[in-house]
C-alpha cells in the first residue's frame, strides 16, 4: 500500500461539477475528516495517512478538478479561483457542515478560500506547507507560466523527463520509482501534458492575495505543519503565516521537504492525532 495505491483508497466515485467529472472517495466511520491535495499531485498523497484514521473517522478525499483522475479538458478553468468552489460543492454534496479539514500546498489555499470567501465552517483546519503567503512559485513554474504553448508542445519524451525532475524537488528523500509513477502518470499523454501546463499557466498570486489580509478572521483552531527542508516554499513562509493567524500552532517537521506526506508521514499522523478534536 505504501508505494502502490490500495484499491480502497482510489477516488472511485464521481461528482458532477458544472458538467465536469470530479473523482472522490470515502472510507471509515466517525466524525468527518476532509483531505485536500495540492499541485502537481493527487489524492494519492494521502495513501500513507488515511489508514491511521479510517477506524475512527469518515475520511473524504478527492482529486482537484484537472488533476489525477478528475476530468482534464481543453479550455478548462483549474485555477485556485475555481478549486474552492469545487470543494464547497463537494461539502454540500457530502452534507458536511463542520468537518475537520486538512489541506496541502494548493489544497491549503483551497480550504482557506472556501472558509474565508465561501463561508464554509470547519471544526478544525490543518495546513501542510500551504500556498498561502506571497510570493510563491518555483523557477520552472514562473518560466512555464509565461510560455504555456511552448511547453505544452514539447516532444513527449522531453515533457516526461521534466515532470519527474520537477516532482523530485518536492521531496527531501528520493522518491521510489513506484511513487514517482503514481504522481507523474496523470500528466503524461497528450491530454495529461496539456493539463499539466494548463494548471501551471493558471497559477496566480491574486488568489492568495484575496485572502491573505483576512487570515485573522479564521473561525476555527488551526495547525500549520511545515517541512523544515521545503525547497518549494521556504519554512520562513510558515513562520510568516503563523504570525498572520492569531492562536495558530506551527509545527516544523525535521528531515522533510515540501511533500511531508512522503518524507515524514508518521510525523503528519502524530501531529493530526494530537491536534484533531
Amino acid at each position: 500500500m505504501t508505494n502502490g495505491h490500495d484499491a480502497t483508497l482510489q477516488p472511485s466515485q464521481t461528482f458532477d461539477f458544472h458538467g465536469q467529472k470530479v473523482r472522490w472517495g470515502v472510507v471509515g466511520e466517525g466524525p468527518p475528516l476532509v483531505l485536500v491535495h495540492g499541485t502537481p499531485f493527487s489524492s494519492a498523497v494521502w495513501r500513507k495517512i488515511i489508514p491511521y484514521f479510517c477506524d475512527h473517522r469518515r475520511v473524504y478525499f478527492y482529486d482537484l478538478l484537472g488533476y489525477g483522475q478528475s476530468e482534464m479538458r481543453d479550455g478548462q478553468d483549474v485555477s485556485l479561483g475555481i478549486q474552492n468552489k469545487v470543494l464547497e460543492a463537494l461539502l454540500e454534496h457530502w452534507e458536511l457542515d463542520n468537518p475537520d479539514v486538512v489541506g496541502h500546498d494548493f489544497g491549503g489555499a483551497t480550504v482557506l478560500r472556501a472558509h474565508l470567501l465561501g463561508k464554509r465552517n470547519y471544526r478544525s483546519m490543518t495546513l501542510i506547507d500551504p500556498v498561502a503567503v506571497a510570493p510563491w512559485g518555483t523557477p520552472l513554474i514562473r518560466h512555464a507560466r509565461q510560455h504555456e504553448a511552448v511547453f505544452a508542445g514539447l516532444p513527449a519524451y522531453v515533457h516526461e523527463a521534466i515532470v519527474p525532475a520537477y516532482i523530485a524537488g518536492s521531496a527531501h528523500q528520493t522518491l521510489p520509482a513506484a511513487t514517482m509513477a503514481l504522481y507523474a502518470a496523470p500528466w503524461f499523454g497528450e491530454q495529461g501534458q496539456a493539463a499539466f501546463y494548463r494548471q501551471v499557466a493558471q497559477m496566480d498570486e491574486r488568489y492568495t492575495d484575496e485572502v491573505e489580509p483576512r487570515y485573522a478572521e479564521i473561525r476555527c483552531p488551526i495547525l500549520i505543519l511545515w517541512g523544515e527542508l521545503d525547497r518549494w516554499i521556504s519554512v520562513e513562509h510558515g513562520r510568516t503565516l503563523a504570525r498572520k493567524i492569531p492562536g495558530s500552532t506551527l509545527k516544523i517537521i525535521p528531515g522533510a521537504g515540501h511533500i511531508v506526506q512522503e518524507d515524514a508521514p508518521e510525523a503528519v499522523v502524530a501531529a493530526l492525532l494530537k491536534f484533531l478534536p
Side-chain angles (χ1 to χ4, degrees):
M1 185 180 63
T2 358
N3 292 330
H5 207 162
D6 181 330
T8 60
L9 302 184
Q10 291 280 3
S12 55
Q13 307 202 47
T14 302
F15 172 69
D16 183 283
F17 179 78
H18 298 234
Q20 301 165 94
K21 293 184 182 69
V22 175
R23 300 287 293 226
W24 64 278
V26 60
V27 285
E29 289 304 328
L33 176 63
V34 177
L35 307 177
V36 188
H37 74 83
T39 177
F41 309 105
S42 69
S43 56
V45 296
W46 306 114
R47 73 197 185 287
K48 296 179 182 180
I49 311 297
I50 293 172
Y52 292 93
F53 293 93
C54 51
D55 56 348
H56 56 281
R57 288 288 187 149
R58 189 152 178 79
V59 185
Y60 295 82
F61 53 95
Y62 71 101
D63 287 348
L64 294 177
L65 186 63
Y67 291 73
Q69 294 178 43
S70 287
E71 188 163 341
M72 301 173 172
R73 65 158 79 147
D74 290 345
Q76 197 176 28
D77 181 359
V78 295
S79 70
L80 283 173
I82 202 74
Q83 299 296 353
N84 58 292
K85 296 187 173 114
V86 175
L87 174 58
E88 289 160 36
L90 279 167
L91 292 174
E92 196 96 350
H93 178 64
W94 296 331
E95 299 180 349
L96 302 182
D97 291 331
N98 206 27
D100 295 298
V101 297
V102 182
H104 173 242
D105 180 84
F106 261 31
T110 296
V111 302
L112 283 164
R113 287 173 57 84
H115 181 64
L116 293 166
L117 302 177
K119 300 182 171 55
R120 294 286 151 177
N121 291 320
Y122 307 142
R123 191 162 76 147
S124 74
M125 189 187 324
T126 302
L127 303 173
I128 306 174
D129 297 63
V131 172
V133 176
W136 49 266
T138 63
L140 172 72
I141 291 304
R142 285 194 290 272
H143 196 66
R145 197 161 53 201
Q146 291 162 354
H147 307 284
E148 181 192 359
V150 174
F151 276 83
L154 286 172
Y157 71 90
V158 176
H159 171 71
E160 286 169 19
I162 288 174
V163 172
Y166 173 60
I167 290 171
S170 68
H172 173 58
Q173 297 166 27
T174 304
L175 293 173
T179 302
M180 180 60 82
L182 202 56
Y183 294 139
W187 303 119
F188 292 167
E190 200 177 324
Q191 191 182 49
Q193 181 167 338
F196 182 80
Y197 298 110
R198 182 180 308 121
Q199 54 96 21
V200 167
Q202 293 179 25
M203 291 182 188
D204 195 322
E205 281 176 10
R206 71 191 162 103
Y207 298 118
T208 50
D209 291 347
E210 271 185 281
V211 288
E212 200 175 323
R214 299 181 55 183
Y215 290 160
E217 299 171 28
I218 289 172
R219 308 179 296 280
C220 62
I222 184 155
L223 171 66
I224 303 165
L225 301 179
W226 216 284
E228 186 179 25
L229 305 170
D230 189 336
R231 287 176 284 173
W232 282 8
I233 315 176
S234 126
V235 72
E236 285 312 313
H237 276 64
R239 295 190 177 104
T240 302
L241 180 61
R243 285 193 295 272
K244 287 174 179 274
I245 305 175
S248 62
T249 302
L250 172 65
K251 185 169 176 48
I252 294 167
I253 313 291
H258 183 70
I259 189 163
V260 189
Q261 302 97 312
E262 292 294 344
D263 283 330
E266 65 296 328
V268 175
V269 169
L272 284 173
L273 286 172
K274 191 175 171 188
F275 170 68
L276 289 174

